[in-house]
Amino acid sequence: MRKIINTFNALTLIELLAVIAIIGVLASISAAFIRAYQPNIKLYTETRTLREALEEARSRTIAEQQLYGVRFFQEEGSYELVNLEGGVSVIASHALPNGVWFASIHAFENSTVRFNKAGAAHESGDVVLRNSDNEERTISINPSGYIETD
């Protein structure tokens, strides 16, 4: 009587199903984690986007020697990158997503952050963003034009 020896080193159906089940459990845990932190992710992303718009306004002012700024519309939850030289012309607009809004905009004339041709801010102040979990992020514009985020 001869013994049959398995020379194939392949996965069995049960091993394959076990791997698929483990992947499914990990995917469901990851989805719950991402859903729980989504408001914070949105807040962080919007803070970075707004900071980039402010830095672009400052950089354009220095490079082109024309006045640029960022104009806020608190009630609408949006802001615009604008050229302030000889009137106001809009360069780019951005609306905040659902679940993120302006909590406050402090110390800017006409809700507009403006930079002079040396890169300094006309007025220093803060812009505070809030999410649906009542988490807040503050963007501060110093008199020197330095923009920092907490």
Side-chain angles (χ1 to χ4, degrees), residues 11-138:
L11 289 175
T12 64
L13 181 59
I14 292 179
E15 290 171 332
L16 183 62
L17 291 175
V19 169
I20 291 172
I22 290 170
I23 291 172
V25 168
L26 291 174
S28 66
I29 290 170
S30 298
F33 176 77
I34 290 172
R35 192 173 305 116
Y37 284 98
Q38 189 172 10
N40 290 337
I41 293 168
K42 279 185 180 179
L43 180 63
Y44 177 77
T45 302
E46 288 307 314
T47 302
R48 286 190 60 192
T49 304
L50 176 55
R51 181 178 176 159
E52 289 170 4
L54 290 164
E55 288 174 350
E56 182 177 353
R58 184 173 184 260
S59 296
R60 283 181 178 233
T61 299
I62 294 168
E64 298 174 17
Q65 290 295 295
Q66 293 187 10
L67 300 178
Y68 284 87
V70 176
R71 184 169 53 178
F72 297 99
F73 302 98
Q74 189 167 1
E75 294 78 26
E76 291 86 12
S78 64
Y79 58 91
E80 299 173 334
L81 173 64
V82 293
N83 183 335
L84 301 168
E85 199 77 29
V88 176
S89 61
V90 177
I91 307 298
S93 297
H94 184 78
L96 298 176
N98 291 336
V100 178
W101 61 89
F102 293 114
S104 63
I105 300 170
H106 294 163
F108 301 116
E109 182 181 331
N110 298 326
S111 294
T112 304
V113 177
R114 298 176 296 147
F115 297 96
N116 65 26
K117 294 178 182 180
H122 280 268
E123 304 94 13
S124 62
D126 299 315
V127 178
V128 181
L129 295 174
R130 182 178 293 151
N131 68 7
S132 56
D133 289 343
N134 284 325
E135 297 284 330
E136 291 184 348
R137 302 268 322 208
T138 303

